[in-house]
């Protein structure tokens, strides 16, 4: 499981899941503000949060393709 989550990857996962920040926060057991801070690049998830994001991504069949790397 990937534990490297930057703002673009988190936002892509949330959009893949078709969730709002509030819905994703509820699903992850965190605050909407935390999701917003991750997506703005103020903080990056680490530890258990990064692990849970990886598990959610794996279950959802999410694959991140960075379109800036061509």
């Amino acid at each position: 499981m990937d534990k490297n989550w930057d703002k673009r990857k988190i936002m892509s996962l949330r959009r893949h899941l078709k969730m709002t920040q509030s819905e994703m926060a509820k699903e992850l057991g965190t605050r909407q503000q935390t999701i917003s801070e991750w997506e703005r690049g103020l903080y990056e998830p680490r530890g258990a949060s990064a692990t849970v994001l990886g598990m959610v991504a794996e279950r959802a069949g999410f694959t991140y393709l960075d379109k800036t790397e061509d």
Side-chain angles (χ1 to χ4, degrees), residues 47-61:
S49 295
T51 300
V52 170
L53 280 168
M55 292 168 61
V56 168
E58 187 175 315
R59 280 191 214 134

Side-chain angles (χ1 to χ4, degrees), residues 2-50:
D2 188 356
K3 292 189 178 186
N4 298 314
W5 290 93
D6 65 17
K7 62 184 182 179
R8 283 182 259 160
K9 193 170 182 182
I10 293 164
M11 188 178 291
S12 292
L13 173 61
R14 181 173 61 79
R15 289 179 176 166
H16 175 81
L17 297 169
K18 296 179 172 74
M19 291 183 165
T20 64
Q21 288 181 347
S22 295
E23 290 168 337
M24 187 171 185
K26 185 176 180 181
E27 189 71 24
L28 297 177
T30 190
R31 302 171 303 137
Q32 178 274 327
Q33 182 179 347
T34 300
I35 305 298
S36 175
E37 290 169 346
W38 288 346
E39 289 186 0
R40 288 185 289 147
L42 299 176
Y43 303 100
E44 289 187 359
R46 52 179 199 226
S49 295

